[in-house]
Amino acid sequence: MMDGQSATDPPRLLRKKEAAAYCGVSTPTFDKWVAAGSLPAALPGIGRWDRNGIDAAINRLSGIGAGAAASPDDDFRQWLEANGHTN
């Protein structure tokens, strides 16, 4: 097991059904959120979602760390740029 991950943590990379369940929504709702840009798309070439990217997006949407979210250095924007998701 990787450092910092407990036996009860979901894996870092999630299939769509797992990612939707992690968010507590149906797969069609998850698809709508991804299409709307509220959640990141699957990682290119992998077809799986990064749990940390999902967390960052939800944090941004819910206002957690709102001061950082307004900054170009926020985690979600860094994740998007690092994974080829630019506007």
Side-chain angles (χ1 to χ4, degrees), residues 46-82:
I46 298 175
R48 295 195 182 197
W49 279 259
D50 182 335
R51 182 169 46 101
N52 291 345
I54 292 170
D55 288 342
I58 292 171
N59 286 348
R60 180 182 53 82
L61 291 169
S62 66
I64 296 173
S71 164
D73 297 324
D74 77 293
D75 291 340
F76 181 63
R77 293 286 169 223
Q78 287 179 5
W79 183 91
L80 286 173
E81 291 174 13

Side-chain angles (χ1 to χ4, degrees), residues 2-72:
M2 298 184 71
D3 291 338
Q5 185 176 1
S6 76
T8 58
D9 284 344
R12 170 86 184 260
L13 297 178
L14 305 170
R15 291 178 180 92
K16 184 190 293 189
K17 185 175 180 180
E18 295 168 329
Y22 181 70
C23 293
V25 299
S26 67
T27 311
T29 297
F30 183 81
D31 287 339
K32 288 177 187 175
W33 289 2
V34 170
S38 298
L39 292 176
L43 294 172
I46 298 175
R48 295 195 182 197
W49 279 259
D50 182 335
R51 182 169 46 101
N52 291 345
I54 292 170
D55 288 342
I58 292 171
N59 286 348
R60 180 182 53 82
L61 291 169
S62 66
I64 296 173
S71 164

